[in-house]
Amino acid sequence: MTGPLHLRGPAVPPTTADERLLDDDRAGAPWVHTDPWRVMRIQAEFIEGFGALAELGPAVALFGSARLGAGTPEYALAEEIAAGIARAGGAVITGGGPGIMEAGNRGAAGAEGVSVGLGIELPFEAGLNDWVHLGMSFRYFFVRKTMFVKYSQGFVVLPGGFGTLDELFEALTLVQTRKVTQFPIVLVGRDYWGGLVDWLTDTVLAHGTISEADTRLFTVVDTAEEALAALAPCLDPLPDGPEGA
């Protein structure tokens, strides 16, 4: 998948658009000739994303591992949470891929809610899952991240790997630095997240590199009911339109 194109097999390029953009090629500085044109492509992705999502309304972003598929407890829990969000009138936004993302889209679609998938160009993920109603495919991670933050009023974070941690800490950083209005950040699974929370408290806070208030920027829950209760304030209709977080 590359932008609006969906590629498989030998048609998949060996590098991603992000990799090519960030590559430090010192052989003649070809970026002088290529990067200005990339700016136009980046601009186009922003415009397409803003246009597609501007009227979405209250929404919650749901993150988690692509490796935890149907049949796992995490998949079932993600589907249940997403269905609850949809029944409360919120759209569900995921990365559009398999695993927990698919569960989120499936739960929203099954509850007759709005199911959004924001895909990304990756060599090992092809296309959006079958439960996405409104889908977009991005070349650049930073454009995609902007869409998640701008159009979501809450984040639900289920067990996941580096990508999930990246989204989590990006949200925490933006809220901590007041680059965005504070919104609910809900970590689902005390057993999974407990070690991270202990490290933040016992090591990071103890060293004075975050404040006590920073440890209250997120809520840790175990059940769908707890997650939906934590999200309840952000699912009320927004008075001035869907500007998001």
Side-chain angles (χ1 to χ4, degrees):
M1 182 168 60
T2 174
L5 299 178
H6 290 256
L7 307 175
R8 290 188 173 92
V12 177
T15 60
T16 66
D18 273 321
E19 183 179 357
R20 293 189 293 274
L21 172 65
L22 300 174
D23 186 39
D24 183 15
D25 189 340
R26 297 179 176 86
W31 59 267
V32 172
H33 307 287
T34 59
D35 281 0
W37 292 105
R38 284 197 180 106
V39 171
M40 303 298 289
R41 178 178 288 175
I42 292 166
Q43 177 180 314
E45 287 205 344
F46 275 116
I47 291 171
E48 290 169 0
F50 292 155
L53 301 174
E55 298 179 357
L56 186 60
V60 174
L62 188 147
F63 302 98
S65 175
R67 305 183 187 194
L68 297 175
T72 63
E74 294 86 358
Y75 186 102
L77 186 54
E79 187 175 353
E80 184 179 357
I81 293 170
I85 293 168
R87 286 192 289 267
V92 174
I93 308 176
T94 80
I100 297 299
M101 294 173 281
E102 177 187 282
N105 293 125
R106 185 174 186 171
E112 300 184 352
V114 179
S115 173
V116 181
L118 305 181
I120 186 68
E121 174 195 7
L122 292 174
F124 44 82
E125 284 186 21
L128 301 172
N129 67 68
D130 292 338
W131 301 97
V132 171
H133 293 159
L134 171 60
M136 291 192 64
S137 298
F138 293 89
R139 290 183 174 90
Y140 300 102
F141 263 116
F142 57 89
V143 180
R144 180 183 185 235
K145 287 180 178 181
T146 299
M147 301 303 152
F148 276 121
V149 174
K150 181 172 177 60
Y151 294 107
S152 300
Q153 285 75 56
F155 274 26
V156 176
V157 188
L158 287 102
F162 288 158
T164 302
L165 291 169
D166 177 51
E167 299 290 358
L168 168 60
F169 279 100
E170 176 117 28
L172 290 172
T173 301
L174 290 171
V175 172
Q176 180 205 47
T177 56
R178 299 185 183 180
K179 288 294 185 181
V180 298
T181 304
Q182 186 165 349
F183 56 87
I185 300 172
V186 184
L187 307 184
V188 183
R190 287 186 174 91
D191 286 345
Y192 189 85
W193 297 110
L196 175 62
V197 174
D198 289 344
W199 176 74
L200 288 173
T201 303
D202 299 339
T203 301
V204 183
L205 177 61
H207 277 70
T209 50
I210 61 173
S211 70
E212 180 71 33
D214 294 333
T215 65
R216 298 191 292 272
L217 296 179
F218 56 86
T219 303
V220 186
V221 304
D222 273 327
T223 67
E225 291 77 9
E226 290 175 318
L228 293 169
L231 292 169
C234 75
L235 291 175
D236 293 331
L238 301 177
D240 297 319
E243 287 299 317

